[in-house]
Amino acid sequence: MRRLSNIFFLASIIFCLLFGPIPIFASEDFQVIESHSFVANVASKVSPSVVRIDIEREIQTDEFESDLLDPLLRDLLGDLGTFPKKERGQGSGVIIDNSGLVLTNAHVVERVDNVIITLQNGNQVDGKVLGTDQVTDLALVKIKEFSGIESAKLGDSENIQVGDWAIALGTPYGLESTVTLGIISSLHRDINSLGFSDKRLDLIQTDAAINPGNSGGPLINSNGEVIGINTLVRSGPGAGLGFAIPINLASKVSNQLLANGEVIHPYIGAQLVLLNERIAKKHNQDPNALIFLPERSGALVQSVIPQSPAEEGGLRRGDLVINAGGDQVDDPSSLLMQVENAEIGKPFKLEVLRNNKEINLSIKPAALPGIN
């Protein structure tokens, strides 16, 4: 009897150990399933700092479309002149300072008459454009009557890696508080390779959906820190690729816009093309080639702007720039980045190959003309 009692006691203990904790574990699993994702957590944290920007600009247009007019009627009416017409647009922005500073894209607010900012709570306030920079496609807007909404926390775009989470916030097609998720697909994408030769940008590439209206909104990491400002989306072949301006550059530009209302970019005045060993060998094998190209990588000078710092410093067409400011130059974009960091009016050292000889030049960059 005692033996049966012991067996029953042991069986009871085993039963409790095996089946007793089930309600607790099931409850914990249920809580995990029901809990919000990290995307929801960081989006709710940053969304109050994301705004919609509505703009209105005046453009000059013909009262009648000339293509629709009969040639005889056009001759009778003569020159109709141009008439003002209101054009409306929309984009996104992110509050980066508790005083009501909003960072957005330059193409969102360029040449505008009125800026209306819609906050997450639906309140609409007037905004004033403090400055725009076409070269980096960035602009700074000040909310005239700021209600004290917290600004977004800025991260460090130098610390992100390919494969990190990327969350895009904004108002695509006017739809407020839209959130999309993806990853960092690539870093240091040269904007010139995307067909924008008048810009100086290394972009963050992401597969997080960025649509019209997202421009100027923030790209954030999994900690809810702003790592970029959404600026481009690829349409047509390759659609689905989005690009953002690194926040470190955006912060630097916004500080200059706040202080001066503009950003002064250095330039030397040379048109550059990529040269590498493969391209040079193919060129040199052509019996009709007029010049022999050095078979190495660098930035080949295709032309020099007259009366530019490059011309005054002795740079010539056909020179291959291999070093700038003490750093190796492998392509035009690396040279442009060195020029961007140079000081205006101060000697900027270049090492070039000319007729297979290394030559040292000193060029004094000037302010890039005709931007603002």
Side-chain angles (χ1 to χ4, degrees):
M1 192 68 171
R2 174 180 284 183
R3 188 176 180 184
L4 289 174
S5 178
N6 290 339
I7 293 173
F8 179 79
F9 179 75
L10 290 173
S12 299
I13 293 176
I14 293 172
F15 181 87
C16 291
L17 289 174
L18 290 176
F19 300 101
I22 286 178
I24 299 175
F25 292 153
S27 176
E28 289 178 352
D29 289 344
F30 181 79
Q31 290 174 3
V32 170
I33 293 171
E34 289 298 309
S35 65
H36 297 297
S37 70
F38 76 94
V39 180
N41 293 333
V42 299
S44 63
K45 176 182 172 183
V46 182
S47 289
S49 303
V50 181
V51 301
R52 190 184 80 199
I53 299 177
D54 293 278
I55 63 97
E56 185 178 83
R57 64 171 62 93
E58 190 174 276
I59 59 174
Q60 298 296 322
T61 183
D62 293 335
E63 184 177 18
F64 301 101
E65 294 291 340
S66 58
D67 293 339
L68 301 179
L69 287 177
D70 182 90
L72 178 60
L73 182 59
R74 191 184 305 121
D75 291 338
L76 291 173
L77 293 175
D79 184 11
L80 297 174
T82 58
F83 298 85
K85 180 180 178 181
K86 294 293 184 180
E87 180 185 61
R88 292 176 175 83
Q90 197 173 82
S92 304
V94 57
I95 301 171
I96 61 168
D97 186 89
N98 289 336
S99 65
L101 295 178
V102 176
L103 190 58
T104 186
N105 287 148
H107 72 261
V108 172
V109 295
E110 61 184 352
R111 303 188 311 276
V112 300
D113 301 315
N114 297 306
V115 175
I116 299 175
I117 295 176
T118 304
L119 305 175
Q120 190 197 38
N121 59 14
N123 291 340
Q124 291 190 329
V125 292
D126 292 328
K128 177 183 179 182
V129 179
L130 299 183
T132 62
D133 180 42
Q134 306 301 324
V135 174
T136 58
D137 192 29
L138 289 165
L140 194 63
V141 178
K142 179 72 167 64
I143 298 177
K144 292 182 179 180
E145 295 182 4
F146 190 57
S147 57
I149 295 175
E150 272 192 43
S151 60
K153 183 179 180 181
L154 304 186
D156 185 353
S157 50
E158 290 297 320
N159 287 337
I160 60 177
Q161 295 183 355
V162 173
D164 284 348
W165 289 114
I167 305 167
L169 284 75
T171 59
Y173 303 106
L175 303 173
E176 290 93 343
S177 302
T178 297
V179 179
T180 57
L181 173 67
I183 62 169
I184 302 296
S185 305
S186 184
L187 298 170
H188 306 297
R189 285 293 189 212
D190 184 5
I191 194 171
N192 294 299
S193 66
L194 300 173
F196 296 85
S197 59
D198 59 336
K199 310 292 183 188
R200 292 185 189 175
L201 284 172
D202 277 343
L203 298 171
I204 300 169
Q205 180 181 323
T206 178
D207 64 350
I210 296 175
N211 295 292
N214 267 119
S215 293
L219 187 72
I220 65 176
N221 60 19
S222 57
N223 296 323
E225 299 169 331
V226 180
I227 55 173
I229 301 298
N230 302 322
T231 186
L232 292 173
V233 59
R234 182 71 179 266
S235 58
L241 300 180
F243 300 90
I245 303 166
I247 194 59
N248 289 14
L249 172 63
S251 297
K252 178 181 175 182
V253 170
S254 65
N255 289 336
Q256 294 183 57
L257 291 174
L258 181 62
N260 309 313
E262 63 178 354
V263 179
I264 299 176
H265 296 275
Y267 96 115
I268 59 174
Q271 185 175 4
L272 308 166
V273 294
L274 172 68
L275 183 70
N276 56 36
E277 186 177 355
R278 183 185 63 82
I279 296 173
K281 281 184 177 180
K282 184 176 180 180
H283 170 86
N284 294 335
Q285 289 170 357
D286 185 353
N288 297 318
L290 299 177
I291 60 173
F292 180 85
L293 295 177
E295 296 178 356
R296 60 176 296 177
S297 297
L300 185 67
V301 179
Q302 191 173 47
S303 64
V304 177
I305 298 175
Q307 300 179 345
S308 67
E311 184 184 62
E312 294 174 1
L315 196 64
R316 298 180 186 174
R317 181 186 180 193
D319 286 349
L320 180 68
V321 182
I322 58 175
N323 193 287
D327 292 328
Q328 181 176 321
V329 172
D330 294 319
D331 50 43
S333 63
S334 60
L335 174 56
L336 289 175
M337 287 300 105
Q338 291 297 323
V339 173
E340 182 68 21
N341 294 324
E343 294 186 60
I344 293 175
K346 299 291 182 66
F348 180 62
K349 303 296 182 182
L350 291 182
E351 185 179 340
V352 305
L353 283 179
R354 181 184 298 168
N355 299 325
N356 288 326
K357 294 182 179 179
E358 293 187 3
I359 299 175
N360 293 314
L361 301 175
S362 180
I363 297 176
K364 294 181 178 180
L368 183 64
I371 296 299
N372 289 327

